[in-house]
Amino acid sequence: MSSTVVPVDSVVPDTRGRYGPYGGRYVPETLMAPLEELERVYADASADPAFHAQLDTLLHDFAGRPTPLQFAARLTEHLGGARIYIKREDLLHTGAHKINNCLGQGLLAVRMGKKRVIAETGAGQHGVATATVAALLGLSCTVYMGTEDMERQRLNVNRMRLLGSEVIGVDSGSRTLKDAINEAMRDWVTNVRTSHYLLGSVLGAHPYPQIVRDFHKIIGEEAREQILAREKRLPDFLFACVGGGSNAIGLFNAFLGDATVKMVGVEAGGRGKSLGEHAARLATARGFSGARPGVLQGTYTYVLQTADGQIATTHSVSAGLDYPAIGPEHAWLADLGRAEYTAVTNEEAIDAAKTLARIEGIIPALESAHAVAELIRRAPKMRKSEIVILNLSGRGDKDMETLSRYV
Amino acid sequence: MSEAATPESSSAAGGRASAVPTATGRIARRFRDLAAAGELGLVAYITAGDPSLDATEKIVLAAAGAGADIIELGVPFSDPVADGPTIQRASDRALRAGTTLAGVIDVVRRVRSRSQVPLILFSYFNPILQMGLDQFADAAAAAGADGVLATDLTIEEAGGYRGVMHARGLDTIFLAAPTSTDERLARIAEFSSGFLYLISRTGVTGTRDALPEDLPALARRVRRLTKLPLAVGFGISSPSHVSVLGGIADAAVVGSALVAEIEKAASAEDAANNVAERVRILKRAAREGVSRRSSEPA
């Protein structure tokens, strides 16, 4: 891992896994033992140079790191404002940033002697990355996926099966990511002694939000070095989409100590502002309703819910952002005012995907297209001397069925 | 942006020493009576609001009348990660019928006006948190509830909660698991009052054919660490399970098997009758269990 740039001695989370008031551990007692084991093994691995060397080699040789920081000349010219750089996580093996975390947790699973991994997936990118790493490391793998998501991300279902993983459809609730996590947790609580739950975002009980962040912070570390080499200064803005928030945290983390760098997380505005029509947890300034702090799937954070504390259904054209809670560190960054959270609609995201395809020759994942849309909204109003970095977290091959309806 | 309750907000300090509130409460008294009779207790779990709160009232009274020693009223939740398919479906039905935590607390009040059976609210944490710990505890205690169990609330996160519940005389029951270390088991017992709920196996709720082979050893391990009565649940459904538990535990918790009776029933009356019949059969096994202590009168 790059060691020349360590800008932030991050103080979060505390020993109880808290980011301010957010985070913590809210799980059935059966899962406390594996969480404590994971915390112990992760601390041990973090202090072990051999672990880092092994992970670095896999990130480099297998996943394709470092990813480029591309100056988007035509998009910059087209929008007529800020100078736009794109962090090309979409070029990684399996097509998204998710592989960073999967390689890290895969090695932890091996270290714990677990022969099987369980994963949830929304867009299928985390599922594919987990299936890939399971194949690479010789682990057996079961992936839970909502049946609605299996429908709209069929290509990824086939990829996971080709890689030797079992994909189990989940038909409860809104048949999307939240329900897949419920089912993955039920599998984990049952097979806790033999299986590692390879959680795919900065969600869940401590230490998951921390571990997943740490495995993705290489995105920001690289981007920071790359922009300093290229522009001899830090960027003014960072843009990233936020479902659970792993790619955003991965980019933001290295810049948290740089007061001049502003950060924008872009949530799914879906097709309306009332509860059930969107997946915007923190973009309350834009009028989205229904999010309050609460406990879901192991962590205390902003959750879309009813007045009675039942978790709401969500909607987004992007399966990876279609989730009612947000990572606890994002909730804390929002409360602190350190990062800003906003949302774009389905339509704006699809238009942005088309724009990026035609102007830069990059078809983004629908998740990442949300960040592109916010950039398109803001860049024209920015000065030409300003610099922005967009995290292009994934590529859009998986979304061709959805996108082809709009071509 | 922070209008809602935080898990720690409460009028009662988390760490304050609170005596076990209800040594004279209904739960403690019931376990003393059971011990005196040398009898295994039967804890009956019912998902409240399935198919309606009126039906739940009838079913609970029928179960109590048929010999259930303690009733756990399950508060339905949209995302019941600790539950298997039977209770997931019951929760769905209850939520579709419009069940809220306030409505479940009202059922406690209605049952309490007609029965002295010990009542426990069994919930995921979020509905309690959204009502507010203080408001919840006030309402539950006023309605006549005896205890609270929050499935996904670990002792690490329960400091404030425990103080608030105990201040209203509500017992706090926590889950102990086969994966819990001795150190955790001791702390869980310290946080618990009324009884300790031991999960029989790794997994979610739901009926199973056989009890796990390591259950007796697990129960002995817990016994060494606490004097609290021990109730064993998860996968307990048949008279033979209950019969075997006689030598191991102070009570058996039966949930999915009763909820399945409600699911099958054509009406609330049928549901109440079927649950009562099932409770009678299980309670008979609890009284006559093959492995009851030899000191027990025949």
Side-chain angles (χ1 to χ4, degrees):
Chain A
M1 294 205 171
S2 63
S3 53
T4 51
V5 180
V6 186
V8 171
D9 178 19
S10 183
V11 293
V12 294
D14 68 14
T15 52
R16 295 173 58 220
R18 292 277 175 180
Y19 305 80
Y22 305 110
R25 270 181 185 158
Y26 296 88
V27 292
E29 171 63 21
T30 308
L31 294 179
M32 282 305 290
L35 287 171
E36 288 179 342
E37 179 190 18
L38 180 60
E39 190 176 13
R40 215 166 39 240
V41 169
Y42 178 62
D44 184 59
S46 299
D48 179 1
F51 177 82
H52 288 290
Q54 194 181 7
L55 179 56
D56 285 353
T57 300
L58 288 173
L59 286 169
H60 184 272
D61 297 352
F62 185 71
R65 299 212 75 90
T67 59
L69 183 73
Q70 175 202 349
F71 175 60
R74 293 237 307 140
L75 187 64
T76 297
E77 191 189 330
H78 174 74
L79 296 175
R83 290 170 63 74
I84 297 165
Y85 285 86
I86 301 177
K87 182 62 174 164
R88 298 292 307 274
E89 293 295 295
D90 62 312
L91 293 178
L92 285 172
H93 180 41
T94 70
H97 72 293
K98 296 290 187 188
I99 191 81
N100 301 328
N101 168 53
C102 291
L103 284 169
Q105 282 198 48
L107 293 181
L108 290 180
V110 171
R111 214 176 165 96
M112 288 186 285
K114 304 279 170 83
K115 302 271 188 267
R116 174 175 180 261
V117 290
I118 306 157
E120 81 296 339
T121 197
Q125 290 303 99
H126 174 61
V128 167
T130 305
T132 298
V133 168
L136 177 74
L137 300 177
L139 304 167
S140 78
C141 175
T142 300
V143 179
Y144 291 92
M145 189 170 190
T147 49
E148 154 121 10
D149 291 341
M150 286 178 77
E151 188 64 33
R152 56 181 165 173
Q153 311 275 213
R154 216 173 320 175
L155 176 66
N156 275 346
V157 175
N158 292 331
R159 290 168 80 193
M160 288 183 269
R161 287 180 173 152
L162 185 64
L163 288 159
S165 286
E166 176 188 25
V167 181
I168 299 180
V170 179
D171 225 355
S172 57
S174 52
R175 298 177 290 124
T176 55
L177 179 56
K178 169 182 75 95
D179 312 290
I181 295 179
N182 286 341
E183 214 48 45
M185 287 181 76
R186 291 181 187 120
D187 183 322
W188 190 31
V189 84
T190 305
N191 300 296
V192 60
R193 292 187 173 103
T194 55
S195 301
H196 171 62
Y197 181 18
L198 210 162
L199 183 58
S201 193
V202 285
L203 296 166
H206 177 64
Y208 280 106
Q210 178 187 4
I211 288 180
V212 178
R213 175 196 71 190
D214 289 354
F215 286 139
H216 283 306
K217 70 182 181 185
I218 191 166
I219 301 170
E221 288 168 353
E222 284 177 8
R224 198 172 184 283
E225 276 184 10
Q226 289 164 324
I227 199 75
L228 286 173
R230 180 79 184 254
E231 291 277 354
K232 309 286 183 271
R233 74 173 185 89
L234 291 167
D236 299 286
F237 273 95
L238 309 175
F239 290 92
C241 65
V242 183
S246 65
N247 90 80
I249 281 290
L251 177 65
F252 292 176
N253 189 262
F255 297 93
L256 285 174
D258 301 318
T260 58
V261 180
K262 295 180 271 300
M263 304 168 180
V264 182
V266 187
E267 302 181 286
R271 61 189 169 205
K273 294 194 173 175
S274 51
L275 193 59
E277 298 295 301
H278 63 86
R281 293 68 41 99
L282 294 174
T284 44
R286 286 192 181 267
F288 291 93
S289 62
R292 290 193 313 283
V295 168
L296 177 65
Q297 292 170 339
T299 192
Y300 176 70
T301 183
Y302 278 80
V303 181
L304 289 163
Q305 55 183 312
T306 68
D308 301 315
Q310 303 296 336
I311 309 308
T313 55
T314 51
H315 167 77
S316 169
V317 69
S318 145
L321 305 184
D322 198 352
Y323 182 71
I326 191 164
E329 188 169 358
H330 284 292
W332 181 226
L333 292 176
D335 274 12
L336 291 174
R338 182 63 190 93
E340 174 197 348
Y341 294 84
T342 185
V344 303
T345 64
N346 287 344
E347 209 173 316
E348 289 170 312
I350 284 166
D351 285 348
K354 283 155 70 175
T355 300
L356 194 70
R358 287 171 191 181
I359 292 185
E360 284 294 339
I362 302 170
I363 300 172
L366 283 174
E367 291 74 29
S368 319
H370 283 68
V372 178
E374 184 65 18
L375 174 72
I376 289 173
R377 193 190 270 168
R378 294 197 192 198
K381 297 173 208 151
M382 294 170 70
R383 289 189 303 277
K384 292 192 172 176
S385 59
E386 287 185 281
I387 298 170
V388 307
I389 296 177
L390 171 93
N391 199 15
L392 200 75
S393 54
R395 68 176 90 123
D397 308 36
K398 70 186 177 62
D399 295 311
M400 283 318 299
E401 273 189 56
T402 304
L403 281 167
S404 61
R405 291 203 290 273
Y406 298 89
V407 173
Chain B
M1 283 192 88
S2 52
E3 76 279 12
T6 72
E8 296 303 320
S9 77
S10 99
S11 57
R16 101 177 172 194
S18 47
V20 173
T22 52
T24 56
R26 290 188 194 90
I27 295 173
R29 269 185 282 145
R30 181 59 54 106
F31 275 107
R32 277 200 300 271
D33 292 348
L34 287 165
E39 191 176 310
L40 181 75
L42 184 69
V43 180
Y45 168 97
I46 306 286
T47 300
D50 169 32
S52 69
L53 289 172
D54 286 343
T56 301
E57 181 185 351
K58 288 190 183 80
I59 294 164
V60 167
L61 289 168
D69 292 292
I70 294 174
I71 305 285
E72 287 179 350
L73 271 179
V75 178
F77 184 53
S78 53
D79 295 84
V81 294
D83 286 302
T86 303
I87 292 177
Q88 287 176 45
R89 288 195 301 271
S91 300
D92 280 349
R93 289 191 296 270
L95 290 175
R96 277 202 302 276
T99 306
T100 63
L101 177 53
V104 179
I105 293 172
D106 193 57
V107 169
V108 171
R109 184 187 60 75
R110 283 147 64 182
V111 170
R112 181 58 71 230
S113 70
R114 298 174 59 186
S115 167
Q116 289 304 304
V117 68
L119 291 167
I120 293 166
L121 287 161
F122 192 110
S123 182
Y124 288 83
F125 189 47
N126 197 52
I128 294 174
L129 184 62
Q130 298 307 318
M131 180 177 276
L133 296 186
D134 291 309
Q135 291 87 333
F136 166 78
D138 285 342
D146 301 293
V148 189
L149 193 162
T151 318
D152 53 348
L153 186 65
T154 53
I155 51 173
E156 281 78 1
E157 308 292 354
Y161 162 94
R162 176 177 175 242
V164 171
M165 300 308 149
H166 285 189
R168 273 70 165 192
L170 293 166
D171 278 315
T172 52
I173 295 111
F174 285 88
L175 299 172
T179 52
S180 306
T181 58
D182 281 1
E183 189 199 350
R184 285 193 67 79
L185 287 174
R187 292 183 57 212
I188 291 166
E190 212 174 283
F191 267 69
S192 300
S193 63
F195 63 93
L196 194 69
Y197 187 132
L198 178 62
I199 299 172
S200 70
R201 69 185 76 229
T202 61
V204 294
T205 60
T207 59
R208 308 287 203 292
D209 290 340
L211 295 176
E213 282 175 15
D214 56 359
L215 180 59
L218 174 64
R220 278 196 300 276
R221 186 155 74 87
V222 176
R223 289 280 198 206
R224 279 199 300 274
L225 297 164
T226 180
K227 299 242 179 301
L228 279 173
L230 190 61
V232 174
F234 280 44
I236 315 294
S237 59
S238 71
S240 65
H241 297 159
V242 170
S243 176
V244 170
L245 280 178
I248 299 172
D250 299 298
V253 187
V254 179
S256 296
L258 302 180
V259 171
E261 294 289 351
I262 297 168
E263 184 170 43
K264 280 187 296 194
S267 67
E269 286 69 28
D270 282 358
N273 290 335
N274 296 350
V275 166
E277 183 52 27
R278 188 62 99 109
V279 166
R280 261 189 292 276
I281 293 166
L282 293 167
K283 187 60 195 178
R284 195 176 308 138
R287 289 198 183 100
E288 299 165 2
V290 289
S291 55
R292 292 306 304 161
R293 291 178 196 87
S294 52
S295 61
E296 181 193 340

